[in-house]
Amino acid sequence: MNWYPWLNQPYRQIISQYQQQRGHHALLIQALPGMGDDALVWGISRWLMCQHPQQLKSCGQCHGCQLMQAGTHPDWYLLAAEKGKSTLGVDAVRSVSEKLYHHAQQGGARAVWLPDAAQLTEAAANALLKTLEEPPKNTWFFLSSREPHRLLATLRSRCLNWHLSPPDEAQSLAWLHKQTQASELACIAALRLSGGAPAAALALLDEKIWSQRDALCSTFSQALQQDLLSLLLVLNHDDAAMRIGWLCALLIDASKWQQGGGDFIVNVDRAPLVEQIARRLPAEVIDSSVRSWMLCRDRLLHIVAVNRELLLTEQLLSWERIFKPAVAG
């Protein structure tokens, strides 16, 4: 598992709390994708499971460390939805909870990791809540969530919220330049499109993905002058939600441009396109466009078995109705 330099400080802070016997039994980590919260939890878990920790580090030699390195430690539990499913049911939570109240197989700490707490069904969240209210001794829970406010308030109240903040842009760019041959402007754009999460930016800069983003930008530029429905070909894919995010970022940048905020745009490598949108569309049309596209994106993400092509077509036709009068006027 990759370790990232921006994890060093939060790791030291959290381990120091455990060393001082002040570590919270349930840590709720708020992190964007690509921030490495999984690596952070893994590092903390290794320290907790180590039988002979060396200050801030696990020894790497004891039986506990060897089991963790092999991924077979019997007292480290992963709670995640089964492959092909999007929710984590109550049975899985109860199964792990029952094991926690027995003696630890290695006689030391036990740790439970939920990579995405949003996967918990209401019943599963309530079952976990009961365990968090009366946690077994020397048992530690780690939950990760991009949007903690979507979790049950009672569940959040039993946890210590830890916001894993993105590093500053200069540090992130320095790291990115060591990982990729992409241009400076491309790195900045990818980083900003990823909310400042460096590893997510690196994934976005993958040649295949970045070329898809370039295709959307080029098609959008042509669609502004011809037919908005031509965007359907570049939007109607499994990652449509991400592509809609790219589209919205361009529209928001155009709004910034209109307000004199051109120095703060996200798509720095596509400044001419941003200016084109800003000059072509009135501010109120850009605002309503962003709102309608975000609603479309939300439906794609949360409506089960939604007809993606139909939804996108409807959205483009609706967009065209507010777009053309504005351009004509």
Side-chain angles (χ1 to χ4, degrees), residues 190-241:
L191 191 60
R192 294 179 181 179
L193 283 168
S194 304
L202 181 62
L204 179 56
L205 286 167
D206 175 82
E207 184 177 351
K208 182 178 179 181
I209 299 176
W210 197 247
S211 65
Q212 293 167 352
R213 183 253 181 183
D214 285 342
L216 181 137
C217 291
S218 299
T219 304
F220 188 20
S221 179
Q222 297 169 7
L224 284 170
Q225 305 174 50
Q226 299 172 14
D227 182 12
L228 288 177
L229 278 173
S230 62
L231 282 167
L232 183 62
L233 290 175
V234 292
L235 288 174
N236 188 24
H237 291 266
D238 290 340
D239 59 353

Short mmCIF file of all heavy atoms in Angstrom, two decimals, residues 190-241:
data_model
loop_
_atom_site.label_atom_id
_atom_site.label_comp_id
_atom_site.label_asym_id
_atom_site.label_seq_id
_atom_site.Cartn_x
_atom_site.Cartn_y
_atom_site.Cartn_z
N ALA A 190 -5.61 19.13 -13.06
CA ALA A 190 -5.99 17.83 -12.48
C ALA A 190 -6.11 17.92 -10.98
O ALA A 190 -7.03 17.35 -10.37
CB ALA A 190 -4.96 16.77 -12.87
N LEU A 191 -5.21 18.64 -10.35
CA LEU A 191 -5.23 18.78 -8.90
C LEU A 191 -6.48 19.52 -8.45
O LEU A 191 -7.15 19.12 -7.49
CB LEU A 191 -3.97 19.52 -8.44
CG LEU A 191 -3.66 19.55 -6.95
CD1 LEU A 191 -3.49 18.14 -6.40
CD2 LEU A 191 -2.39 20.36 -6.69
N ARG A 192 -6.81 20.60 -9.14
CA ARG A 192 -7.99 21.38 -8.76
C ARG A 192 -9.28 20.64 -9.07
O ARG A 192 -10.26 20.75 -8.32
CB ARG A 192 -7.95 22.74 -9.46
CG ARG A 192 -6.79 23.61 -8.97
CD ARG A 192 -6.72 24.96 -9.68
NE ARG A 192 -5.58 25.74 -9.20
CZ ARG A 192 -5.24 26.95 -9.65
NH1 ARG A 192 -5.97 27.52 -10.59
NH2 ARG A 192 -4.19 27.58 -9.15
N LEU A 193 -9.30 19.89 -10.15
CA LEU A 193 -10.47 19.07 -10.47
C LEU A 193 -10.68 17.97 -9.43
O LEU A 193 -11.79 17.46 -9.28
CB LEU A 193 -10.33 18.45 -11.86
CG LEU A 193 -10.57 19.37 -13.05
CD1 LEU A 193 -10.10 18.70 -14.35
CD2 LEU A 193 -12.04 19.75 -13.16
N SER A 194 -9.62 17.61 -8.73
CA SER A 194 -9.67 16.54 -7.73
C SER A 194 -9.82 17.08 -6.32
O SER A 194 -9.63 16.34 -5.34
CB SER A 194 -8.41 15.68 -7.82
OG SER A 194 -8.24 15.15 -9.12
N GLY A 195 -10.14 18.35 -6.20
CA GLY A 195 -10.33 18.94 -4.87
C GLY A 195 -9.05 19.09 -4.08
O GLY A 195 -9.09 19.24 -2.87
N GLY A 196 -7.91 19.00 -4.75
CA GLY A 196 -6.62 19.14 -4.07
C GLY A 196 -6.03 17.82 -3.61
O GLY A 196 -4.95 17.81 -3.02
N ALA A 197 -6.70 16.70 -3.89
CA ALA A 197 -6.19 15.38 -3.49
C ALA A 197 -5.15 14.91 -4.49
O ALA A 197 -5.49 14.59 -5.64
CB ALA A 197 -7.33 14.38 -3.38
N PRO A 198 -3.87 14.84 -4.13
CA PRO A 198 -2.81 14.55 -5.09
C PRO A 198 -2.92 13.19 -5.78
O PRO A 198 -2.70 13.09 -6.99
CB PRO A 198 -1.53 14.64 -4.24
CG PRO A 198 -1.90 15.50 -3.08
CD PRO A 198 -3.33 15.17 -2.79
N ALA A 199 -3.21 12.14 -5.04
CA ALA A 199 -3.28 10.80 -5.65
C ALA A 199 -4.45 10.71 -6.63
O ALA A 199 -4.36 10.03 -7.65
CB ALA A 199 -3.40 9.73 -4.58
N ALA A 200 -5.54 11.41 -6.34
CA ALA A 200 -6.67 11.44 -7.27
C ALA A 200 -6.29 12.20 -8.53
O ALA A 200 -6.69 11.83 -9.64
CB ALA A 200 -7.89 12.09 -6.61
N ALA A 201 -5.51 13.27 -8.36
CA ALA A 201 -5.04 14.04 -9.52
C ALA A 201 -4.14 13.18 -10.40
O ALA A 201 -4.24 13.22 -11.64
CB ALA A 201 -4.29 15.28 -9.05
N LEU A 202 -3.28 12.39 -9.78
CA LEU A 202 -2.40 11.51 -10.55
C LEU A 202 -3.20 10.49 -11.33
O LEU A 202 -2.90 10.21 -12.50
CB LEU A 202 -1.42 10.80 -9.59
CG LEU A 202 -0.41 9.85 -10.25
CD1 LEU A 202 0.49 10.61 -11.22
CD2 LEU A 202 0.42 9.13 -9.19
N ALA A 203 -4.24 9.94 -10.72
CA ALA A 203 -5.10 8.98 -11.42
C ALA A 203 -5.82 9.65 -12.59
O ALA A 203 -5.97 9.06 -13.66
CB ALA A 203 -6.12 8.38 -10.45
N LEU A 204 -6.23 10.88 -12.38
CA LEU A 204 -6.92 11.63 -13.45
C LEU A 204 -5.99 11.90 -14.62
O LEU A 204 -6.43 11.94 -15.77
CB LEU A 204 -7.46 12.95 -12.88
CG LEU A 204 -8.19 13.90 -13.82
CD1 LEU A 204 -9.36 13.19 -14.51
CD2 LEU A 204 -8.68 15.13 -13.07
N LEU A 205 -4.70 12.08 -14.34
CA LEU A 205 -3.72 12.36 -15.38
C LEU A 205 -3.32 11.12 -16.18
O LEU A 205 -2.52 11.23 -17.12
CB LEU A 205 -2.47 13.00 -14.77
CG LEU A 205 -2.62 14.47 -14.34
CD1 LEU A 205 -1.45 14.90 -13.48
CD2 LEU A 205 -2.77 15.37 -15.56
N ASP A 206 -3.87 9.97 -15.81
CA ASP A 206 -3.65 8.78 -16.62
C ASP A 206 -4.02 9.09 -18.07
O ASP A 206 -5.05 9.73 -18.33
CB ASP A 206 -4.51 7.62 -16.10
CG ASP A 206 -4.41 6.39 -16.96
OD1 ASP A 206 -3.47 5.62 -16.82
OD2 ASP A 206 -5.32 6.21 -17.82
N GLU A 207 -3.18 8.68 -18.99
CA GLU A 207 -3.35 9.08 -20.39
C GLU A 207 -4.76 8.80 -20.92
O GLU A 207 -5.35 9.64 -21.61
CB GLU A 207 -2.31 8.35 -21.26
CG GLU A 207 -2.33 8.77 -22.71
CD GLU A 207 -1.24 8.09 -23.54
OE1 GLU A 207 -0.38 7.43 -22.93
OE2 GLU A 207 -1.27 8.23 -24.77
N LYS A 208 -5.31 7.66 -20.60
CA LYS A 208 -6.64 7.30 -21.10
C LYS A 208 -7.71 8.22 -20.54
O LYS A 208 -8.58 8.72 -21.28
CB LYS A 208 -6.94 5.84 -20.75
CG LYS A 208 -8.28 5.35 -21.28
CD LYS A 208 -8.50 3.89 -20.94
CE LYS A 208 -9.85 3.41 -21.46
NZ LYS A 208 -10.11 1.98 -21.12
N ILE A 209 -7.67 8.45 -19.22
CA ILE A 209 -8.70 9.29 -18.59
C ILE A 209 -8.56 10.74 -19.01
O ILE A 209 -9.55 11.41 -19.33
CB ILE A 209 -8.61 9.17 -17.05
CG1 ILE A 209 -8.85 7.72 -16.62
CG2 ILE A 209 -9.64 10.09 -16.38
CD1 ILE A 209 -8.70 7.47 -15.14
N TRP A 210 -7.31 11.23 -19.05
CA TRP A 210 -7.10 12.64 -19.40
C TRP A 210 -7.51 12.91 -20.85
O TRP A 210 -8.02 13.98 -21.16
CB TRP A 210 -5.64 13.01 -19.18
CG TRP A 210 -5.39 14.50 -19.13
CD1 TRP A 210 -4.70 15.26 -20.02
CD2 TRP A 210 -5.85 15.41 -18.12
NE1 TRP A 210 -4.68 16.58 -19.64
CE2 TRP A 210 -5.38 16.69 -18.47
CE3 TRP A 210 -6.61 15.26 -16.95
CZ2 TRP A 210 -5.64 17.83 -17.70
CZ3 TRP A 210 -6.87 16.39 -16.19
CH2 TRP A 210 -6.40 17.64 -16.55
N SER A 211 -7.33 11.94 -21.72
CA SER A 211 -7.74 12.10 -23.12
C SER A 211 -9.26 12.19 -23.22
O SER A 211 -9.80 12.88 -24.10
CB SER A 211 -7.21 10.95 -23.98
OG SER A 211 -7.79 9.72 -23.60
N GLN A 212 -9.96 11.50 -22.31
CA GLN A 212 -11.42 11.58 -22.30
C GLN A 212 -11.88 12.96 -21.85
O GLN A 212 -12.84 13.52 -22.39
CB GLN A 212 -11.99 10.49 -21.38
CG GLN A 212 -11.76 9.08 -21.88
CD GLN A 212 -12.04 8.02 -20.84
OE1 GLN A 212 -12.29 8.32 -19.67
NE2 GLN A 212 -11.99 6.76 -21.25
N ARG A 213 -11.18 13.51 -20.91
CA ARG A 213 -11.50 14.86 -20.47
C ARG A 213 -11.21 15.86 -21.58
O ARG A 213 -11.98 16.81 -21.81
CB ARG A 213 -10.70 15.17 -19.19
CG ARG A 213 -11.00 16.54 -18.57
CD ARG A 213 -9.82 17.45 -18.83
NE ARG A 213 -10.00 18.77 -18.26
CZ ARG A 213 -9.12 19.74 -18.42
NH1 ARG A 213 -8.02 19.54 -19.11
NH2 ARG A 213 -9.35 20.93 -17.91
N ASP A 214 -10.10 15.67 -22.30
CA ASP A 214 -9.78 16.54 -23.44
C ASP A 214 -10.86 16.45 -24.51
O ASP A 214 -11.24 17.46 -25.12
CB ASP A 214 -8.43 16.15 -24.04
CG ASP A 214 -7.26 16.61 -23.18
OD1 ASP A 214 -7.46 17.51 -22.33
OD2 ASP A 214 -6.14 16.08 -23.35
N ALA A 215 -11.37 15.23 -24.74
CA ALA A 215 -12.41 15.04 -25.75
C ALA A 215 -13.69 15.78 -25.36
O ALA A 215 -14.35 16.38 -26.21
CB ALA A 215 -12.69 13.55 -25.93
N LEU A 216 -14.01 15.74 -24.08
CA LEU A 216 -15.21 16.46 -23.62
C LEU A 216 -15.05 17.96 -23.82
O LEU A 216 -15.97 18.64 -24.29
CB LEU A 216 -15.48 16.15 -22.15
CG LEU A 216 -16.72 16.83 -21.57
CD1 LEU A 216 -17.52 15.89 -20.70
CD2 LEU A 216 -16.35 18.08 -20.76
N CYS A 217 -13.87 18.48 -23.50
CA CYS A 217 -13.62 19.92 -23.66
C CYS A 217 -13.72 20.33 -25.13
O CYS A 217 -14.34 21.35 -25.47
CB CYS A 217 -12.25 20.29 -23.11
SG CYS A 217 -12.10 20.17 -21.31
N SER A 218 -13.14 19.53 -26.01
CA SER A 218 -13.16 19.85 -27.44
C SER A 218 -14.58 19.77 -28.00
O SER A 218 -15.01 20.63 -28.77
CB SER A 218 -12.25 18.89 -28.21
OG SER A 218 -10.91 19.01 -27.78
N THR A 219 -15.33 18.74 -27.58
CA THR A 219 -16.71 18.58 -28.05
C THR A 219 -17.59 19.71 -27.53
O THR A 219 -18.46 20.22 -28.25
CB THR A 219 -17.28 17.22 -27.60
OG1 THR A 219 -16.43 16.18 -28.07
CG2 THR A 219 -18.67 17.01 -28.15
N PHE A 220 -17.36 20.12 -26.29
CA PHE A 220 -18.14 21.21 -25.71
C PHE A 220 -17.90 22.52 -26.47
O PHE A 220 -18.83 23.28 -26.75
CB PHE A 220 -17.77 21.37 -24.23
CG PHE A 220 -18.65 22.33 -23.48
CD1 PHE A 220 -19.91 22.68 -23.94
CD2 PHE A 220 -18.22 22.88 -22.28
CE1 PHE A 220 -20.73 23.56 -23.23
CE2 PHE A 220 -19.02 23.77 -21.57
CZ PHE A 220 -20.28 24.10 -22.05
N SER A 221 -16.66 22.75 -26.84
CA SER A 221 -16.33 23.95 -27.59
C SER A 221 -17.09 23.99 -28.92
O SER A 221 -17.64 25.04 -29.32
CB SER A 221 -14.83 24.01 -27.85
OG SER A 221 -14.48 25.17 -28.60
N GLN A 222 -17.17 22.85 -29.59
CA GLN A 222 -17.90 22.77 -30.87
C GLN A 222 -19.41 22.85 -30.64
O GLN A 222 -20.14 23.49 -31.40
CB GLN A 222 -17.54 21.47 -31.58
CG GLN A 222 -16.07 21.36 -31.97
CD GLN A 222 -15.69 19.97 -32.44
OE1 GLN A 222 -16.55 19.10 -32.60
NE2 GLN A 222 -14.41 19.74 -32.66
N ALA A 223 -19.87 22.22 -29.55
CA ALA A 223 -21.31 22.19 -29.27
C ALA A 223 -21.86 23.58 -28.97
O ALA A 223 -23.03 23.87 -29.23
CB ALA A 223 -21.59 21.26 -28.10
N LEU A 224 -21.02 24.44 -28.42
CA LEU A 224 -21.45 25.81 -28.13
C LEU A 224 -21.88 26.54 -29.40
O LEU A 224 -22.72 27.44 -29.36
CB LEU A 224 -20.31 26.59 -27.46
CG LEU A 224 -20.03 26.29 -25.98
CD1 LEU A 224 -18.74 26.95 -25.53
CD2 LEU A 224 -21.19 26.76 -25.11
N GLN A 225 -21.32 26.14 -30.52
CA GLN A 225 -21.61 26.82 -31.78
C GLN A 225 -22.55 26.01 -32.66
O GLN A 225 -23.14 26.55 -33.60
CB GLN A 225 -20.31 27.07 -32.54
CG GLN A 225 -19.27 27.84 -31.74
CD GLN A 225 -17.93 27.95 -32.45
OE1 GLN A 225 -17.89 28.33 -33.62
NE2 GLN A 225 -16.86 27.61 -31.77
N GLN A 226 -22.70 24.71 -32.36
CA GLN A 226 -23.50 23.87 -33.26
C GLN A 226 -24.66 23.20 -32.52
O GLN A 226 -25.71 23.80 -32.36
CB GLN A 226 -22.58 22.83 -33.92
CG GLN A 226 -21.47 23.46 -34.76
CD GLN A 226 -20.46 22.44 -35.25
OE1 GLN A 226 -20.68 21.24 -35.21
NE2 GLN A 226 -19.33 22.93 -35.74
N ASP A 227 -24.44 21.99 -32.01
CA ASP A 227 -25.54 21.19 -31.46
C ASP A 227 -25.15 20.63 -30.09
O ASP A 227 -24.22 19.83 -29.99
CB ASP A 227 -25.88 20.06 -32.43
CG ASP A 227 -27.04 19.21 -31.95
OD1 ASP A 227 -27.72 19.63 -30.99
OD2 ASP A 227 -27.25 18.12 -32.52
N LEU A 228 -25.86 21.03 -29.05
CA LEU A 228 -25.55 20.55 -27.70
C LEU A 228 -25.73 19.05 -27.56
O LEU A 228 -25.09 18.41 -26.73
CB LEU A 228 -26.42 21.28 -26.67
CG LEU A 228 -26.09 22.75 -26.41
CD1 LEU A 228 -27.07 23.34 -25.42
CD2 LEU A 228 -24.66 22.89 -25.89
N LEU A 229 -26.61 18.46 -28.39
CA LEU A 229 -26.83 17.01 -28.30
C LEU A 229 -25.59 16.21 -28.67
O LEU A 229 -25.49 15.03 -28.35
CB LEU A 229 -28.00 16.60 -29.20
CG LEU A 229 -29.40 16.81 -28.61
CD1 LEU A 229 -30.46 16.53 -29.66
CD2 LEU A 229 -29.60 15.93 -27.39
N SER A 230 -24.63 16.85 -29.34
CA SER A 230 -23.38 16.15 -29.68
C SER A 230 -22.60 15.77 -28.42
O SER A 230 -21.73 14.90 -28.46
CB SER A 230 -22.52 17.02 -30.59
OG SER A 230 -22.13 18.22 -29.94
N LEU A 231 -22.92 16.40 -27.30
CA LEU A 231 -22.26 16.07 -26.03
C LEU A 231 -22.65 14.69 -25.51
O LEU A 231 -21.96 14.13 -24.66
CB LEU A 231 -22.58 17.13 -24.97
CG LEU A 231 -21.81 18.45 -25.06
CD1 LEU A 231 -22.44 19.49 -24.16
CD2 LEU A 231 -20.36 18.22 -24.68
N LEU A 232 -23.76 14.17 -26.01
CA LEU A 232 -24.23 12.87 -25.52
C LEU A 232 -23.18 11.79 -25.73
O LEU A 232 -22.99 10.91 -24.88
CB LEU A 232 -25.53 12.48 -26.22
CG LEU A 232 -26.19 11.17 -25.76
CD1 LEU A 232 -26.57 11.26 -24.29
CD2 LEU A 232 -27.41 10.86 -26.61
N LEU A 233 -22.48 11.85 -26.85
CA LEU A 233 -21.48 10.82 -27.16
C LEU A 233 -20.33 10.79 -26.15
O LEU A 233 -19.77 9.74 -25.87
CB LEU A 233 -20.93 11.04 -28.57
CG LEU A 233 -21.90 10.75 -29.73
CD1 LEU A 233 -21.26 11.14 -31.06
CD2 LEU A 233 -22.30 9.28 -29.73
N VAL A 234 -19.97 11.96 -25.62
CA VAL A 234 -18.85 11.99 -24.67
C VAL A 234 -19.31 11.90 -23.22
O VAL A 234 -18.50 11.67 -22.32
CB VAL A 234 -17.99 13.26 -24.86
CG1 VAL A 234 -17.26 13.22 -26.19
CG2 VAL A 234 -18.83 14.53 -24.75
N LEU A 235 -20.60 12.09 -22.98
CA LEU A 235 -21.12 12.02 -21.61
C LEU A 235 -21.67 10.64 -21.25
O LEU A 235 -21.59 10.21 -20.09
CB LEU A 235 -22.23 13.06 -21.41
CG LEU A 235 -21.81 14.53 -21.34
CD1 LEU A 235 -23.04 15.43 -21.28
CD2 LEU A 235 -20.91 14.79 -20.14
N ASN A 236 -22.22 9.94 -22.23
CA ASN A 236 -22.91 8.67 -21.95
C ASN A 236 -21.93 7.52 -21.79
O ASN A 236 -21.77 6.69 -22.69
CB ASN A 236 -23.91 8.38 -23.07
CG ASN A 236 -24.80 7.19 -22.73
OD1 ASN A 236 -24.99 6.85 -21.57
ND2 ASN A 236 -25.33 6.54 -23.76
N HIS A 237 -21.29 7.47 -20.65
CA HIS A 237 -20.35 6.40 -20.31
C HIS A 237 -20.54 6.01 -18.85
O HIS A 237 -21.24 6.69 -18.10
CB HIS A 237 -18.91 6.85 -20.56
CG HIS A 237 -18.57 7.05 -22.01
ND1 HIS A 237 -17.99 6.06 -22.77
CD2 HIS A 237 -18.75 8.10 -22.84
CE1 HIS A 237 -17.82 6.50 -24.01
NE2 HIS A 237 -18.27 7.74 -24.08
N ASP A 238 -19.91 4.92 -18.45
CA ASP A 238 -20.06 4.45 -17.07
C ASP A 238 -19.62 5.50 -16.05
O ASP A 238 -20.12 5.53 -14.92
CB ASP A 238 -19.26 3.16 -16.86
CG ASP A 238 -19.87 1.98 -17.61
OD1 ASP A 238 -21.06 2.05 -17.95
OD2 ASP A 238 -19.15 0.99 -17.85
N ASP A 239 -18.66 6.34 -16.45
CA ASP A 239 -18.19 7.38 -15.54
C ASP A 239 -18.85 8.72 -15.84
O ASP A 239 -18.25 9.78 -15.70
CB ASP A 239 -16.67 7.51 -15.62
CG ASP A 239 -16.19 7.85 -17.02
OD1 ASP A 239 -17.03 7.86 -17.96
OD2 ASP A 239 -14.99 8.12 -17.20
N ALA A 240 -20.13 8.68 -16.24
CA ALA A 240 -20.85 9.89 -16.62
C ALA A 240 -20.86 10.93 -15.50
O ALA A 240 -20.77 12.13 -15.76
CB ALA A 240 -22.29 9.54 -17.01
N ALA A 241 -20.96 10.48 -14.25
CA ALA A 241 -20.99 11.43 -13.13
C ALA A 241 -19.71 12.25 -13.07
O ALA A 241 -19.74 13.46 -12.82
CB ALA A 241 -21.21 10.69 -11.82
#
